[in-house]
């Protein structure tokens, strides 16, 4: 299916479009996890290393491994300071190249809805995490309108244009995440709702960040000048623009965590 072929190969573009959002939500996520320092972490679907760097900055890991299917994203990740500790590997979330019980904690940051078979992806996280270890994820609430690019996507849809969606978009529902974690045999399953506001210098900065992605950019490029102007006006009405011209938008994500059974 075409929607399963979404790939983010430009690490720099992804950083401006989503990396900054990832750090905002990731800070809340890590506060909620409250994990001790010195753990061995797996960052599944690490992308350009935004979440991996945050783990390095916040959690003082003893070891850190990131895996992603995009070589371009990994090339960007390897230029971050975290690369001094982290091992970055090209690979598949549904077939992790790690031995059983390799990590103390495994996370997916804004990734699980890109996994074609989320059940298999969670099972792999459980497999590579030691008994008593932490398995956690957070994902934009796409069905609930929490995705940072939602103002653009909604108005594109109104124009009859629907960019590809992640193959498992509905998995980000809280109840679905709970079911996935519970069915994987995890214990002490908890959820948390994350709300973050990102500030931009002006509307043009918001627009630029939203339209860098591999899914949105082709749809924008296909519009006539009149349709593009109409789209921008509609999107502007969906975000907060202050009297000084600065802009901001609130995105929402759902998080889940659980423990691998000790027995």
């Amino acid at each position: 299916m075409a929607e399963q072929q979404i790939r983010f190969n430009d690490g720099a573009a992804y950083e401006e479009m989503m990396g900054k959002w990832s750090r905002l939500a990731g800070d809340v996520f890590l506060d909620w996890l409250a994990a001790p320092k010195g753990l061995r972490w797996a960052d599944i679907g690490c992308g350009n290393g935004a979440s991996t760097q945050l783990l390095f900055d916040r959690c003082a890991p003893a070891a850190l491994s990131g895996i992603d299917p995009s070589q371009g994203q990994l090339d960007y990740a390897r230029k971050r300071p975290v690369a001094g500790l982290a091992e970055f590997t090209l690979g598949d979330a549904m077939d992790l190249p790690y031995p059983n019980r390799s990590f103390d904690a495994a996370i997916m940051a804004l990734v699980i809805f890109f996994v074609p078979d989320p059940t298999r992806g969670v099972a792999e996280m459980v497999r590579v995490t030691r008994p008593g270890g932490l398995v956690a994820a957070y994902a934009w609430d796409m069905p609930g309108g929490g995705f940072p690019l939602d103002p653009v996507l909604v108005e594109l849809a109104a124009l009859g244009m629907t960019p590809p969606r992640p193959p498992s978009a509905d998995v980000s529902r809280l109840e679905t995440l709970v079911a996935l974690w519970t069915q994987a045999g995890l214990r002490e399953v908890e959820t948390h709702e994350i709300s973050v506001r990102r500030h931009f210098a002006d509307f043009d900065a918001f627009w630029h960040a939203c339209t860098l992605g591999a899914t949105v950019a082709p749809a924008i490029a296909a519009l006539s000048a009149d349709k593009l102007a109409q789209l921008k006006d509609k999107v502007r009405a969906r975000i907060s623009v202050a009297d000084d011209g600065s802009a901001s938008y609130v995105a929402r994500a759902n998080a889940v965590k659980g423990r691998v059974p000790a027995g």
Side-chain angles (χ1 to χ4, degrees):
M1 295 173 59
E3 64 180 6
Q4 295 183 7
Q5 302 304 313
I6 297 173
R7 287 288 185 269
F8 299 101
N9 295 315
D10 186 333
Y14 186 87
E15 177 66 12
E16 181 60 28
M17 177 189 69
M18 196 58 64
K20 294 179 180 180
W21 279 111
S22 176
R23 284 197 299 277
L24 288 171
D27 271 328
V28 179
F29 177 63
L30 292 181
D31 285 345
W32 176 61
L33 292 185
K37 299 185 185 303
L39 299 185
R40 299 165 298 160
W41 290 84
D43 185 11
I44 313 302
C46 65
N48 75 352
S51 60
T52 324
Q53 183 66 52
L54 196 60
L55 286 170
F56 180 76
D57 294 341
R58 293 279 312 272
C59 299
L64 189 50
S65 294
I67 186 168
D68 198 82
S70 168
Q71 188 61 60
Q73 290 276 63
L74 293 175
D75 288 345
Y76 190 95
R78 292 186 179 111
K79 296 174 184 176
R80 293 182 181 272
V82 68
L85 172 69
E87 174 189 46
F88 290 107
T89 303
L90 188 70
D92 186 343
M94 298 183 296
D95 186 17
L96 297 176
Y98 307 123
N100 295 351
R101 304 183 175 189
S102 298
F103 302 99
D104 301 306
I107 67 166
M108 284 187 180
L110 306 178
V111 168
I112 195 165
F113 38 36
F114 288 110
V115 180
D117 185 347
T119 299
R120 185 173 169 185
V122 177
E124 277 292 272
M125 285 201 291
V126 173
R127 179 184 66 79
V128 302
T129 304
R130 65 165 174 81
L134 177 68
V135 174
Y138 69 96
W140 299 121
D141 182 7
M142 300 196 75
F147 190 42
L149 308 188
D150 215 53
V152 178
L153 296 180
V154 168
E155 294 303 336
L156 278 172
L159 292 174
M161 305 180 71
T162 306
R165 286 169 57 83
S168 307
D170 286 346
V171 79
S172 59
R173 299 178 188 274
L174 277 176
E175 59 270 26
T176 306
L177 291 171
V178 169
L180 276 173
W181 257 240
T182 302
Q183 291 163 11
L186 291 159
R187 302 289 187 262
E188 302 174 35
V189 176
E190 299 178 40
T191 61
H192 186 62
E193 296 180 55
I194 296 171
S195 180
V196 291
R197 181 180 293 273
R198 181 175 169 186
H199 296 273
F200 300 84
D202 50 29
F203 172 77
D204 288 339
F206 172 84
W207 176 262
H208 176 71
C210 286
T211 55
L212 287 171
T215 58
V216 174
I220 298 296
L223 294 175
S224 67
D226 286 347
K227 288 290 186 182
L228 179 59
Q230 177 185 340
L231 175 65
K232 292 179 77 171
D233 285 344
K234 294 286 189 180
V235 171
R236 185 182 286 106
R238 287 184 170 271
I239 71 169
S240 298
V241 180
D243 291 341
D244 64 1
S246 61
S248 67
Y249 187 68
V250 174
R252 301 185 311 280
N254 293 324
V256 63
K257 64 181 177 181
R259 294 280 176 183
V260 176

